[in-house]
Amino acid sequence: MKTIAALLALSSAAFAQQLPTFKEQVVDADAGVCYATTIADINGDGKPDIVVVTELPDQVVWYENPTWKKHIILEKEPNLPVCIQALDVDGDGKVELILGADWPINPKTKISGTVWLLKRPDDLDKPWTPIKIDEEPTMHRMRVIDVDGKGRKELVCSPLHGRGTKDQNGPGASLYILKRPADPFKDKWTREVIADDIHINHNIWPLDWDGDGKEEIISAGYEGIFVLKRGADGKWSRSTKIGDGDPVKHGAGEVKVGKLPGGKRYVVTVEPWHGHSAVASSRKRRAIPGAARSWSKTTRAATRSGPPTSRAATSTPRSSASAAFPRGRKRSASSISSTPATPRESSGSRWCSTTRASAARTSSAPTWTATAWSTSSAPDAAPRT
């Protein structure tokens, strides 16, 4: 047992040495309620700038790298902005911005929710021109995807709820590509539906999942975490299931994908929606050719006085612990910051643990193992998600 413990310690130490270190740099100490951010080279100088959507006041702003001079893109109208995505829509080498706004309060899932193309001015110190290109209740997240593998990025729109839905009851959300026309500033944008049966579709992430040169979408919603792929016939389907998410409240709310040292892929989720657990999943090899595969999840125990009692370096990247914020932690409105090395370095309340049972699967889908850290406090309710 001592030998095994020593090997685990050496493995964890070697893994830690390969992780980068970060230093916090405050960009704006009074940005309002910073609701969404993205990175884009706004002024074309080759440096990544920071674009921020704020509430109280309702603004879209960008901070110029490296001085972090603040430029106001829009303010007051459109109101209640919620998400932002950079995309060069006309192919001139300069990015435009696409904004999701008019977030429904309470929420109103039959009305409200708009998508705006923000046309850049010649003078970047002047306001940008908003052009409404679509409407969909509870518009919530936006990404870009190269679905054909030809280098042309398309906009993916992800509402939180279906029309008339309350939480998980009712129609699913309409996840779709909003395809730009020949003249994106004047002509009508059209939709290509990816899925319409996911409830509380809180976040998505595009990537080339299977290495075929074409990008897929990972969705984190009430039904679980899935890879959505477009087939040769142009139809979309759930090609891979990563997991069910939280076993009690169901599903996941955030999802990102990374690679461990050596190239092994991992998927990090926050579970459930507005949840308190950060879960890192990695694919296992089939032990016996032809044998049934299983999916397992384990929540690792952790306290402020020490790290998790057991963890595998290949399935618990230390940086993923930053995805779970203990209740009551005060965060800067807009900053570039480091991620905690282990859960004990996160400020906040005590960490607790649960164990999730394995569920056998007989399909050909790959096996994933997951490790999660969870806080002992319940997530705070929020009108906007």
Side-chain angles (χ1 to χ4, degrees), residues 119-140:
K119 186 176 182 180
R120 56 189 293 135
D122 293 332
D123 181 355
L124 291 175
D125 285 322
K126 299 290 180 64
W128 296 37
T129 303
I131 303 168
K132 186 187 291 187
I133 58 174
D134 199 30
E135 295 184 2
E136 184 65 30
T138 68
M139 182 55 60
H140 189 248

Side-chain angles (χ1 to χ4, degrees), residues 55-227:
E55 175 189 355
L56 301 176
D58 286 351
Q59 285 185 333
V60 181
V61 301
W62 70 280
Y63 297 92
E64 185 175 350
N65 187 349
T67 62
W68 306 127
K69 176 185 175 182
K70 182 178 179 179
H71 304 260
I72 296 177
I73 295 172
L74 290 175
E75 57 183 343
K76 296 183 181 179
E77 295 291 338
N79 68 350
L80 294 174
V82 67
C83 54
I84 192 84
Q85 175 64 54
L87 179 64
D88 178 7
V89 300
D90 55 1
D92 65 352
K94 302 175 183 179
V95 296
E96 283 73 38
L97 295 169
I98 302 177
L99 177 71
D102 292 303
W103 176 255
I105 301 298
N106 291 327
K108 298 175 181 177
T109 58
K110 292 183 179 180
I111 59 174
S112 169
T114 53
V115 180
W116 301 79
L117 171 60
L118 308 185
K119 186 176 182 180
R120 56 189 293 135
D122 293 332
D123 181 355
L124 291 175
D125 285 322
K126 299 290 180 64
W128 296 37
T129 303
I131 303 168
K132 186 187 291 187
I133 58 174
D134 199 30
E135 295 184 2
E136 184 65 30
T138 68
M139 182 55 60
H140 189 248
R141 294 288 185 264
M142 293 175 179
R143 307 289 182 198
V144 290
I145 184 174
D146 181 7
V147 70
D148 295 315
K150 297 179 180 179
R152 179 182 170 88
K153 294 288 187 178
E154 297 284 2
L155 179 70
V156 178
C157 295
S158 179
L160 181 65
H161 298 295
R163 291 174 180 256
T165 295
K166 182 178 181 181
D167 294 336
Q168 72 276 10
N169 301 309
S174 181
L175 176 64
Y176 60 94
I177 297 174
L178 193 57
K179 308 186 79 168
R180 62 186 185 271
D183 187 340
F185 302 106
K186 295 181 179 179
D187 298 339
K188 181 177 177 59
W189 292 53
T190 58
R191 296 188 184 191
E192 176 184 333
V193 175
I194 298 173
D196 58 6
D197 58 353
I198 303 171
H199 294 84
I200 315 178
N201 195 17
H202 196 266
N203 218 332
I204 55 173
W205 193 251
L207 79 165
D208 181 3
W209 179 262
D210 52 13
D212 66 351
K214 303 174 183 179
E215 289 188 323
E216 289 77 39
I217 287 282
I218 296 184
S219 165
Y222 182 82
E223 286 79 11
I225 306 97
F226 295 91
V227 178

Side-chain angles (χ1 to χ4, degrees), residues 349-368:
S349 59
R350 180 176 58 87
W351 300 73
C352 65
S353 67
T354 59
T355 300
R356 303 180 182 180
S358 299
R361 290 175 57 90
T362 57
S363 68
S364 59
T367 299
W368 292 75

Side-chain angles (χ1 to χ4, degrees), residues 294-373:
S294 64
W295 294 70
S296 62
K297 282 194 173 184
T298 304
T299 302
R300 301 300 186 183
T303 65
R304 293 186 65 188
S305 59
T309 55
S310 63
R311 65 178 174 171
T314 56
S315 61
T316 57
R318 295 165 70 195
S319 60
S320 69
S322 64
F325 291 101
R327 187 178 184 180
R329 179 179 178 184
K330 185 177 181 180
R331 297 183 290 276
S332 298
S334 181
S335 65
I336 305 171
S337 63
S338 59
T339 54
T342 62
R344 64 191 173 104
E345 294 180 26
S346 291
S347 62
S349 59
R350 180 176 58 87
W351 300 73
C352 65
S353 67
T354 59
T355 300
R356 303 180 182 180
S358 299
R361 290 175 57 90
T362 57
S363 68
S364 59
T367 299
W368 292 75
T369 57
T371 299
W373 294 296

Side-chain angles (χ1 to χ4, degrees), residues 274-304:
H274 284 185
H276 52 278
S277 295
V279 181
S281 303
S282 60
R283 183 162 48 189
K284 292 197 305 184
R285 293 182 178 180
R286 192 191 299 266
I288 302 173
R293 298 180 182 230
S294 64
W295 294 70
S296 62
K297 282 194 173 184
T298 304
T299 302
R300 301 300 186 183
T303 65
R304 293 186 65 188

